[in-house]
Amino acid sequence: MNILDFIQTDWLYGLAGGLVIGLSAAIYLLVNGRVMGASGILGGLVDGSGYVTAMERLSFIGGLVFVPALFAVFVGAPETHLTGNWIVLIAAGLLVGVGTRIANGCTSGHGVCGISRFSLRGMVATVFYIGAGGVTVMLFKHILGVI
Amino acid sequence: MRNFFAALAGGTFGVGLMLSGMTDTAKVQGWLDVFGNWDPTLAFVMGGAILPMLIAWQIAERRHRSALGNLIPERPEPRVGRNLVLGSVMFGAGWGLAGLCPGPSLAALSYNGIDGFVFVGSMIAGMLIAVPVKARMTAAKPA
């Protein structure tokens, strides 16, 4: 990326978007009394462990999918640069699905909600998933050249 | 009421993810690419998201109950075990491979085309596979 672009806008969008993410987690905690973790909310529906709170989970996911869809239609979709390599997508999806359920959380649950509560588990998880992500990008981008 | 606020939180989360650039896999992989053209945006996103939550946890733990009346989730036991570490390593590897984590994969479902569905479908399959895997890992754990 262009360093000048970053100085001008990227960090500001990042910070503003981050504040909005934090606001959404605060609403979910203070109003609904729940930890906003994307993998937990979806995972509880997928494996049935969150059956009792299914409507609340579905409502959250509905908002998460449809509000950006409205933006995409009326304002325009941002660039995503998602790979079209299905082998990579399937492997990555499986790893994310299995890993987040075994670790009991992802970037939103362990990262945003865990770190802000000074949770040791959240901090340790964040160190390991960022570390593993860094090693993966180094290996598959710079050494193997497949992503 | 509960469902309305859940949808509101989900929608707000989606807008934040979109605005922050976290549905752009190039930005996420750029953040993880410490040895390449490193992109520090994600640090600002994380920092920005943690700020309101620092205040929210203070309020929540003082009041013990949410506005809709249920108890604030208890602080989990600070147990750092094999599941937490191994699971996070697997998650991080997948996150690095595709540049998507669960939240952004759902937020961008409407504009990622068929590839986005392939990722989310595989993630859901992974969540199902995790059930017996986790049961076995927990059972195999030495007491």
Side-chain angles (χ1 to χ4, degrees), chain B residues 13 18-19 27 37 40 44-45 58 65 67 86 90 96 139 141:
Chain B
F13 184 38
M18 215 176 177
L19 183 66
K27 292 206 84 62
N37 199 359
F44 287 88
V45 181
Q58 294 299 316
R65 277 185 188 278
L86 272 180
M90 289 175 76
K141 196 180 280 179

Side-chain angles (χ1 to χ4, degrees), chain B residues 31-116:
Chain B
W31 153 261
L32 294 171
D33 193 6
V34 185
F35 300 99
N37 199 359
W38 188 58
D39 182 339
T41 308
L42 199 137
F44 287 88
V45 181
M46 266 287 191
I50 286 170
L51 278 178
M53 278 306 283
L54 281 172
I55 304 165
W57 275 122
Q58 294 299 316
I59 300 170
E61 283 177 351
R62 199 161 305 157
R63 297 173 44 132
H64 304 294
R65 277 185 188 278
S66 74
L68 292 175
N70 53 314
L71 285 169
I72 295 298
E74 284 202 26
R75 182 178 282 274
E77 271 186 65
R79 253 209 336 249
V80 177
R82 194 178 54 172
N83 287 14
L84 184 78
V85 170
L86 272 180
S88 295
V89 166
M90 289 175 76
F91 161 45
W95 191 37
L97 270 181
L100 275 179
C101 52
S105 74
L106 294 172
L109 198 58
S110 61
Y111 53 90
N112 259 339
I114 184 101
D115 300 329

Side-chain angles (χ1 to χ4, degrees), chain A residues 1 10 30 80-81 86 117 142, chain B residues 24-25 27 33 61 67 73:
Chain A
M1 59 160 239
D10 280 17
L30 293 176
T80 63
H81 299 107
W86 282 21
R117 200 182 198 185
H142 297 298
Chain B
D24 184 351
T25 60
K27 292 206 84 62
D33 193 6
E61 283 177 351

Side-chain angles (χ1 to χ4, degrees), chain A residues 9 17 20 22 26 41 50 56 58 82 97-98 100 107 123 125 127 134 139 142 147:
Chain A
T9 54
V20 175
I41 295 170
E56 189 174 21
L58 279 172
L82 183 63
V98 175
T100 52
T107 338
M123 290 190 240
V127 166
L139 187 67
H142 297 298
I147 59 169

Side-chain angles (χ1 to χ4, degrees), chain A residues 83-118:
Chain A
T83 178
N85 183 335
W86 282 21
I87 296 169
V88 169
L89 286 170
I90 292 169
L94 287 171
L95 281 166
V96 169
V98 175
T100 52
R101 291 306 276 163
I102 289 175
N104 251 321
C106 59
T107 338
S108 45
H110 277 316
V112 175
C113 298
I115 293 175
S116 60
R117 200 182 198 185
F118 305 107

